[in-house]
Amino acid sequence: MPVREIQAKSIYSAEKACYNIKKPYAMRCGLKLGLGDSVQKFVTKNYSETCALGERVGKTLCGGRVLAFFGGMGMGKTAFVTGVAKGMGLSDFVSSPTFSIVNVYGRHDELCHFDMYRVESWEDLDSTGFFDYMENGSVLCVEWSENIENALPDDAVRITMAQGDEADTRIITIDGLETVL
């Protein structure tokens, strides 16, 4: 796919570490896009840059949004959610919901962080409070979204995280976010 990728020294450098694929181009190339006007790709070099990107996304969110994360273990999903919380103005310590299934942050449950790794059925999903939190207008960050793909709302922002060339480098693709970062 002929795209231009720019790597930045930091997430806040003058050149953005992203590219945009507009819908008409994507249709010609057979790419599947979410409801947003573009797919954005970022390259982060470390934990701090992954958090900073999450913070930028967090600043754009309003209640009721679902961020669906895709990617293997250790790809930085919780680091990204740490940044989202900061961008939303929350000061809570963010931790992985691996064993709790869901961690809730904010005085009014503004952010709900799910781990769907062990969710195997609709009953399992319902027991997590996923649908209740969505109805309450919380922002949902959902790790292992591939396990609940059919339950995700159509307007979910899909965030795919993969390892880059270096051990700490991450390639992060965001699909469905209306705001260009």
Side-chain angles (χ1 to χ4, degrees):
M1 175 169 57
V3 296
R4 191 179 80 167
E5 181 177 321
I6 303 166
Q7 291 192 2
K9 291 183 181 172
S10 82
I11 234 34
Y12 292 109
S13 67
E15 291 284 328
K16 285 191 226 173
C18 72
Y19 67 83
N20 296 314
I21 304 171
K22 298 296 179 190
K23 282 186 177 181
Y25 175 81
M27 285 187 231
R28 287 195 309 270
C29 296
L31 298 174
K32 179 183 174 210
L33 296 177
L35 294 181
D37 287 336
S38 64
V39 172
Q40 301 175 64
K41 181 178 178 182
F42 299 84
V43 177
T44 61
K45 299 289 185 184
N46 54 46
Y47 174 88
S48 295
E49 287 187 3
T50 301
C51 288
L53 178 58
E55 184 177 351
R56 289 171 59 192
V57 170
K59 288 178 180 180
T60 71
L61 300 175
C62 52
R65 289 308 305 255
V66 175
L67 303 182
F69 290 88
F70 300 85
M73 283 187 202
M75 289 299 107
K77 297 181 288 286
T78 298
F80 196 99
V81 176
T82 298
V84 169
K86 186 175 180 183
M88 291 176 63
L90 303 174
S91 59
D92 304 61
F93 173 76
V94 174
S95 62
S96 176
T98 299
F99 298 106
S100 60
I101 309 278
V102 62
N103 292 336
V104 180
Y105 306 106
R107 296 179 85 176
H108 305 286
D109 301 343
E110 290 93 340
L111 176 63
C112 301
H113 183 195
F114 289 88
D115 184 317
M116 299 301 186
Y117 185 75
R118 293 174 289 166
V119 172
E120 298 178 351
S121 67
W122 282 98
E123 291 79 21
D124 288 349
L125 180 60
D126 191 46
S127 72
T128 68
F130 178 78
F131 299 109
D132 298 324
Y133 286 118
M134 202 176 342
E135 287 178 12
N136 290 339
S138 300
V139 170
L140 277 57
C141 290
V142 185
E143 297 188 21
W144 299 99
S145 289
E146 47 270 63
N147 291 351
I148 64 158
E149 184 87 34
N150 293 332
L152 294 172
D154 290 338
D155 66 346
V157 177
R158 296 169 187 278
I159 301 172
T160 303
M161 304 181 81
Q163 187 167 345
D165 294 339
E166 311 260 335
D168 291 336
T169 301
R170 297 294 178 260
I171 301 166
I172 302 169
T173 306
I174 302 174
D175 179 8
L177 188 65
E178 293 83 5
T179 304
V180 175
L181 300 172

